[in-house]
Amino acid sequence: MLTSKREGFMGAVLALALLCLLASAQQAQATTYSDRGSGILVWPKIVANADNGVDTLIQIANIDQANPVAAHCFYVNANSHCSNTGAVCQAPGDECIEPGGFRGACVPDWIEIDFNVVLTQDQPLAWSALGGLRGSDLPCPSPGGPCKDGQSNAGTRVPPVPESPFIGELKCVQVDVNDRRPIGGNNLVGNATVEGVFLAGEGYVAAGKYNAVGIRALAPNADGELIIGGGGGVAEYEPCAEILVLNHLFDGAEDPISLSLTARTELTLVPCSEDFLTQRLSPLTAQFLVYNEFEQRFSTSRQVPCLLDSQLSLIDTTQAERSIFNAAVSGTVAGQTRIRGVNGGLIGAAVLNYDEGPLPPIGIAAYNLHQTADRTESDRIRIP
Amino acid sequence: MGVLKRNRWLTPLGLALAVVVLLGARAGALVGNEGATASDRAGTLIVFPKVIADGTRDTLITLSNVMNTERYAHCVYVNGAGACSISGALCVPGPGAGFGCPDGQICEARCIETNFDIALTAQQPTVWRVSTGRVVNPADGSDGACDVLTVEDTLREGCPGIDPGNVIPPNQPFRGELKCYETDTLGGAPGAPPSAMAGNAFKGEAMIETLESGEISKYNSINFEANSDVLNSDQVLELNNGEVNVCPARLEFTHYAHLAQDSIAASLAPEACNSGTGLCSGGANPGAVCTLPGGTECLGGACVGCAVRSEITFVPCTEHLESQVVIPTTVQIRAIDQLELSQSASFTLGCWANLSLDQLSPSIFNAFNRGEFLKTRIFTNATGLRCLDGSVFSDPNADPSLVCNTDADCGAGGVCGPQPGVLAIMEEFYEGFASETTLDDGAAAVDPHMIGQRTGLCRADLAVSCSRDADCTGGLCRGDATACTTNSQCAPTQSVPNNRCDICLIDEITIPEVVPNVP
C-alpha cells in the first residue's frame, strides 16, 4: 500500500510537471516579432509576374535616429523549373512539354542572390521586386549629398528579381556599415505590399500589406553562421517561434459581408534555417492543427522545402473541395490553424483573397501570423 | 523492488522536472514578454483601433482563443464617429473644427460606448460582421456560410459554429474602435461584475470591406499581455508594466507620401496611369481631379495618375469607459523623407480619430513636396499633464482640454498625470484607374512598428519619470491622496470604489462596471 501511495504521489508530481510543461508551452510568448526593430528581417512572400500584373513593393527603414545601418539581403528564388526547357513551372506534376512533344519534369529549385542596402539615419527606402533599385534612384547615392552627417546610400544596389514569374522570400541581416559583418542593433523594420494590377474590364488595383518578421539580435559574432536561439549560451539571435497561429476564413466560405464573394487564403511558410553559403536544402515538415468554430480539430502535415506557398485548401490535397481547410468540409466560416515546424522553425505570412468566379481576386488582404512559444533548439542561417 | 527503484528517481525527477519547467516557463515569459504591446502574439486586452460600419464600409472581426480551456471576454465598442454640431450630419472629427461640416459648425465625436460578453471554448475561433453582430442560434447549419436574419427590423447574422454569445451590432453609422479584455466569468456573477483575468488567450484580426467594390484590407489587433501576479479584480486596467503591459513609446509606419504615384501600377500599366484622370498633388488645389497628361487643372502642383492616399487611425491608451469622459492627448507626428528631412505636426486626439494624411497636415506628407516614400513617427509626450480623475469630470463648465498642473486643478479627488499614450493603424488606398470617382480600387491596412516603451510620471512627484512602480519612492491613494505604497492602504469608498495606490502613472482603462442582477 505504501508503495502504491508513493507511486500515486510521484505520479501526481510527474503529472503536475507535465501539466506545467503543457501550460508553459501555451503561455510562453515567442521572441520573433513582426512589429519591432530587428537584426534579421524576413519577408516570407515576394511575388512578381509581369505578364499577370503582379508585383511586390518592399519597404525597409532604419529606426536609428543618428547612425546609418547596413543590411546584407538575400532573395531566395523558389521557382520550380522544367528539366528540359528551363522554363518556370509551378509544381511537380506540371507539364513541361517542348514544341516537339518531348516531356520534361518540373523540378523544385532554390537559388539565392544577395545584395547590400545601406540606410542613413531614420531613412525609409523602397523598391519593387520587378524593378529593384538602381544607383541613380538612391536618395543619397554618395557621401557629400543631401543626407546628414556625411551619410549616404553608397554601396546599395538592389537587383530586380531574377525571373518573372517569381515566388520567393527576402531575408536581410543587419551588418556593420564598414566590414559587412553581422552586428546587433535591431534597427531594421520593413514591410511588403503585394499588389495586383488587373487590366481586364475597366481595370483595378488590389493590394495587401504585411510587416516583415523580425528576429532580434542578442550578440551576434562576426562570423557567417547566425545562430538563432538554442541553449548553452550560443544563441546570437532570439529564437524563432515554436508555433505560428493563423486565424483565417475557410476556403470557399461565403464572405459574411457581401454574401457573394468567396474567401481563399494563401499561406506562405519559409524555414528559419537557411544555408546561403552552400545552398543546401534541409526540408522540414510543417504540422497543421486546424480548429473550426465547433472546436473540432483536424490535422495534416506538409513538407516545406525552401518555401511553401499554397492555397490553404491545397495544402492537404489536390482537390480543394475535399480539404480540411474547405468551408464545406469544416462546416464553419472561421478557423484557427496552429502550425509547428517539426525539425526547424518556421516564419510565415498570409494573404486573403476575395474571389468572384474565376477572375483575378476582387480584394487582397495580407496579414501577419501570430507567434507563440520559443523554439528550444537552434536554427541557423549561414551567409557567404 | 522494481517499484522501489523507480521511486528513488521518480520523486526527485518529477520535482526537478516541475521546478525546471516552471522556471523555464517563467524565464520564457520574461524573455518573450518585453513589457510592450504586440500585434503578433495573444493578449489579455486586445484593441482593434479601426472598425467601420457606416453604410459604405463594413468590418469582419475574427477572434480566437489560443488556450486549451474555455475563456471569456468583455468587449466594448467605442463609436468615435463625428456629428456636425448643428445638422448632426456624419463628419470626421479632427484638427480644428474637423472635416465635413458646413462653415460655422464643428464636428463633434460622441464617443458612445456599448458592450457585450463572449465565451470561446478551447482553441475556438469565431467571426462576426460588425453591422449585424452575431445572434445565438443553435439552429445554424454547418454549411460554412452565415445567414442574414431580420430580428425586429434589425439586420442580424447567424453563423455556423458554437456561438460566442449575443454579439451586438453597435449604433450606426459606426466608426470607432473595439476593445476586448479577458474576464474570469461570462458577464459576471449575480451581484458582481466580471473581473479582468490575465489569461493572455485572445488574438484577433479586423477585415474592413468596401461594400460597393469588395476591396478589403486586414490588420491584426494590437494586444496587451497582463501579469497574473499583479492584475487585481477592480474595474481598472493599469497599462503600466504592472497589471498590463505598457503602450509603445512611439509608432512608426513606412508608406507612400500623400498622393504619390503607385510605382507598381505605374510600372505595370504605364498607359493607364499616365492618361485619363488623376489627382492634383501639392499646389493650391491638392486632391482635385485633373486630366492626364499635363493636368492643367492643378494650380502649382502635379497631376498624378494611380495615386495613393493613406489614413491613420488613432486611439488613446487611457480611456474612461465607465464615465465616458474623454481625456485628450496631444499627438506628435513626424514625417521623415528619404533625404532624412523631418517635418512635424500635432493634433489633439479625443476618443478616436481617423484622418487622411492631408487632414493631419496639408504639407508635411505631400508627395509633391516630400518625395515618394515617408516614414512617419507618432508619439505623445508624458510630460503633457491632463486630469485623469476628479470632480472636473462631472463639471459641465470645466475646460474640456483637462489640462492641469496639480491635482487641485482637477477638482475634488483630482488626479493630475501624464496625458494618454496612443495606438494607431494605417490604411493605404490605391486610386487605381478610377480617380474620377470617389471609389478607391485597392486598400491595404498594416499594423505599426512599435518602438520602445512609454514612460509615465510618479504620482507623488510629477517631476520624476518612471517605467514601473519601482522607479518611484511611493504613491498616493486615488481617493484622498494619502501616501501609500500598496493598494491595501487605500480602502475603497462609496465615492471611489476603485480606490488604489497610484504609484507610476502611465495609462489606464477604466472599464464599465456591469453588474448582473441578483435573482
Side-chain angles (χ1 to χ4, degrees):
Chain A
M1 283 299 290
L2 183 62
T3 304
S4 64
K5 271 186 183 174
R6 277 186 176 175
E7 272 186 329
F9 171 70
M10 282 169 282
V13 169
L14 275 171
L16 178 65
L18 286 171
L19 277 173
C20 291
L21 182 64
L22 284 171
S24 67
Q26 290 160 7
Q27 288 170 3
Q29 299 282 19
T31 46
T32 47
Y33 292 90
S34 57
D35 53 17
R36 297 281 188 284
S38 297
I40 301 174
L41 289 184
V42 183
W43 290 261
K45 181 165 192 161
I46 306 290
V47 287
N49 188 335
D51 294 335
N52 288 351
V54 176
D55 199 357
T56 305
L57 182 78
I58 296 149
Q59 293 174 307
I60 187 169
N62 175 12
I63 62 171
D64 189 323
Q65 297 177 42
N67 302 298
V69 300
H72 190 181
C73 298
F74 303 84
Y75 271 129
V76 176
N77 180 354
N79 280 341
S80 298
H81 295 91
C82 289
S83 59
N84 50 347
T85 64
V88 175
C89 50
Q90 296 297 314
D94 271 14
E95 289 190 334
C96 292
I97 305 173
E98 288 183 69
F102 295 105
R103 290 175 180 272
C106 185
V107 181
D109 225 341
W110 87 283
I111 305 163
E112 162 270 322
I113 55 170
D114 62 281
F115 55 92
N116 290 307
V117 174
V118 180
L119 296 158
T120 64
Q121 56 185 285
D122 239 354
Q123 189 185 39
L125 214 54
W127 66 86
S128 73
L130 283 172
L133 194 60
R134 293 184 294 271
S136 57
D137 295 332
L138 295 171
C140 298
S142 58
C147 288
K148 296 174 197 162
D149 304 332
Q151 297 177 15
S152 78
N153 302 113
T156 302
R157 191 173 184 88
V158 182
V161 291
E163 293 179 312
S164 173
F166 175 87
I167 172 76
E169 67 158 323
L170 174 65
K171 274 192 169 82
C172 287
V173 179
Q174 185 173 346
V175 294
D176 186 90
V177 173
N178 298 310
D179 64 15
R180 301 289 195 268
R181 292 181 180 278
I183 57 167
N186 296 317
N187 293 321
L188 297 174
V189 296
N191 52 53
T193 307
V194 178
E195 188 172 336
V197 180
F198 305 117
L199 296 174
E202 294 180 353
Y204 63 99
V205 172
K209 191 169 185 175
Y210 68 89
N211 283 337
V213 179
I215 300 172
R216 288 176 64 83
L218 295 166
N221 59 32
D223 67 15
E225 183 162 33
L226 316 180
I227 302 174
I228 302 166
V234 299
E236 300 169 52
Y237 293 83
E238 292 181 351
C240 281
E242 176 73 17
I243 294 169
L244 305 177
V245 186
L246 168 68
N247 272 2
H248 57 88
L249 304 185
F250 283 106
D251 280 359
E254 182 182 85
D255 168 27
I257 292 177
S258 67
L259 302 176
S260 61
L261 303 173
T262 54
R264 174 174 52 89
T265 301
E266 294 166 5
L267 173 68
T268 307
L269 297 173
V270 296
C272 288
S273 293
E274 268 171 323
D275 190 341
F276 295 123
L277 182 65
T278 63
Q279 302 204 17
R280 272 189 309 203
L281 265 181
S282 303
L284 54 87
T285 301
Q287 280 190 340
F288 300 85
L289 292 181
V290 186
Y291 294 85
N292 67 7
E293 292 183 69
F294 291 112
E295 200 195 327
Q296 292 163 328
R297 192 182 76 179
F298 315 99
S299 68
T300 185
S301 298
R302 176 79 180 263
Q303 205 173 53
V304 180
C306 67
L307 179 142
L308 171 68
D309 179 67
S310 173
Q311 180 178 319
L312 282 181
S313 52
L314 294 177
I315 286 176
D316 57 323
T317 173
T318 55
Q319 300 167 349
E321 69 279 7
R322 296 178 180 276
S323 167
I324 58 174
F325 292 98
N326 189 289
V329 174
S330 71
T332 68
V333 174
Q336 180 194 153
T337 295
R338 299 171 71 87
I339 306 159
R340 187 171 73 87
V342 173
N343 44 356
L346 289 167
I347 289 170
V351 175
L352 169 65
N353 298 275
Y354 265 4
D355 295 327
E356 190 175 42
L359 300 169
I362 297 293
I364 294 176
Y367 59 109
N368 288 96
L369 274 54
H370 276 233
Q371 306 177 87
T372 301
D374 292 336
R375 277 178 46 75
T376 53
E377 293 178 17
S378 324
D379 289 283
R380 289 163 194 258
I381 297 174
R382 293 179 76 192
I383 59 176
Chain B
M1 281 300 288
V3 171
L4 285 174
K5 273 184 182 174
R6 278 201 300 275
N7 282 350
R8 284 197 194 102
W9 60 264
L10 272 176
T11 304
L13 174 69
L15 287 170
L17 184 56
V19 169
V20 164
V21 163
L22 281 171
L23 287 174
R26 183 69 186 153
L30 288 173
V31 169
N33 178 354
E34 285 199 321
T37 50
S39 61
D40 59 1
R41 57 214 61 226
T44 289
L45 169 67
I46 69 174
V47 182
F48 300 87
K50 185 171 191 173
V51 178
I52 308 287
D54 62 0
T56 57
R57 305 185 83 194
D58 205 344
T59 306
L60 195 69
I61 300 291
T62 49
L63 187 69
S64 68
N65 169 11
V66 301
M67 294 299 179
N68 281 328
T69 53
E70 186 175 33
R71 299 300 174 99
Y72 314 106
H74 187 72
C75 296
V76 182
Y77 281 119
V78 178
N79 194 344
C84 295
S85 53
I86 298 174
S87 68
L90 190 64
C91 57
V92 178
F99 303 92
C101 290
D103 288 345
Q105 297 187 41
I106 60 171
C107 184
E108 298 171 329
R110 293 183 175 161
C111 305
I112 298 166
E113 169 268 323
T114 48
N115 59 73
F116 58 96
D117 295 283
I118 58 171
L120 292 179
T121 62
Q123 307 286 355
Q124 190 197 343
T126 193
V127 62
W128 69 84
R129 174 183 177 181
V130 169
S131 65
T132 61
R134 177 168 174 162
V135 296
V136 176
N137 181 9
D140 287 323
S142 58
D143 56 354
C146 299
D147 298 318
V148 176
L149 315 163
T150 303
V151 182
E152 294 181 354
D153 296 331
T154 302
L155 209 59
R156 304 297 309 275
E157 214 164 59
C159 297
I162 302 171
D163 293 313
N166 183 7
V167 178
I168 57 168
N171 59 316
Q172 293 168 50
F174 184 87
R175 295 174 181 170
E177 64 160 328
L178 171 66
K179 277 191 168 80
C180 294
Y181 63 91
E182 192 170 348
T183 57
D184 58 350
T185 55
L186 178 61
S195 295
M197 189 179 101
N200 301 324
F202 291 104
K203 70 180 285 286
E205 298 83 20
M207 190 207 69
I208 307 170
E209 180 172 341
T210 301
L211 300 178
E212 191 175 342
S213 66
E215 65 166 284
I216 52 173
S217 57
K218 189 167 185 171
Y219 66 87
N220 288 351
S221 60
I222 298 176
N223 305 333
F224 294 75
E225 289 178 51
N227 185 341
S228 57
D229 294 337
V230 182
L231 185 66
N232 59 36
S233 61
D234 68 15
Q235 299 296 296
V236 180
L237 298 173
E238 295 177 57
L239 281 58
N240 63 355
N241 269 334
E243 286 192 344
V244 180
N245 283 351
V246 70
C247 273
R250 62 183 207 261
L251 310 166
E252 290 191 358
F253 295 99
T254 308
H255 58 95
Y256 278 109
H258 181 58
L259 298 186
Q261 187 172 53
D262 172 0
S263 59
I264 287 181
S267 166
L268 293 173
E271 285 191 15
C273 288
N274 294 306
S275 61
T277 57
L279 296 175
C280 294
S281 177
N285 59 342
V289 175
C290 53
T291 307
L292 288 162
T296 52
E297 301 91 337
C298 299
L299 307 175
C303 185
V304 176
C306 297
V308 182
R309 62 180 187 86
S310 303
E311 291 176 354
I312 304 178
T313 306
F314 304 87
V315 294
C317 293
T318 290
E319 283 181 303
H320 269 244
L321 299 172
E322 170 81 61
S323 64
Q324 302 204 23
V325 171
V326 174
I327 301 172
T329 187
T330 304
V331 178
Q332 306 288 337
I333 301 156
R334 192 167 285 279
I336 302 130
D337 64 22
Q338 291 184 280
L339 298 175
E340 309 164 356
L341 292 174
S342 173
Q343 295 182 358
S344 62
S346 64
F347 80 103
T348 301
L349 171 66
C351 69
W352 186 83
N354 179 59
L355 297 165
S356 63
L357 296 181
D358 61 322
Q359 289 172 334
L360 279 166
S361 165
S363 59
I364 71 167
F365 296 107
N366 198 298
F368 188 70
N369 304 327
R370 306 299 310 276
E372 195 174 10
F373 296 103
L374 295 173
K375 184 172 79 169
T376 293
R377 181 176 300 137
I378 296 164
F379 58 98
T380 66
N381 287 318
T383 48
L385 301 178
R386 309 273 181 169
C387 291
L388 303 180
D389 212 336
S391 61
V392 69
F393 279 13
S394 53
D395 180 357
N397 298 317
D399 176 3
S401 73
L402 298 179
V403 171
C404 59
N405 291 307
T406 65
D407 288 352
D409 296 336
C410 304
V415 176
C416 183
Q419 64 181 347
V422 66
L423 298 173
I425 289 292
M426 175 172 271
E427 191 173 13
E428 291 181 327
F429 297 90
Y430 297 77
E431 298 285 341
F433 319 124
S435 298
E436 73 278 13
T437 72
T438 56
L439 192 63
D440 299 306
D441 264 10
V446 69
D447 287 284
H449 285 108
M450 296 185 266
I451 297 164
Q453 297 179 30
R454 181 171 145 77
T455 55
L457 301 172
C458 293
R459 167 81 198 279
D461 184 355
L462 293 177
V464 178
S465 69
C466 55
S467 297
R468 46 182 37 85
D469 285 352
D471 297 339
C472 305
T473 52
L476 301 175
C477 289
R478 172 65 56 124
D480 56 7
T482 55
C484 60
T485 53
T486 64
N487 284 333
S488 60
Q489 295 168 327
C490 306
T493 65
Q494 193 166 10
S495 59
V496 191
N498 293 318
N499 200 8
R500 59 194 178 277
C501 186
D502 289 327
I503 301 176
C504 178
L505 293 171
I506 303 181
D507 282 299
E508 61 185 30
I509 295 173
T510 305
I511 52 189
E513 188 161 324
V514 183
V515 184
N517 291 330
V518 177

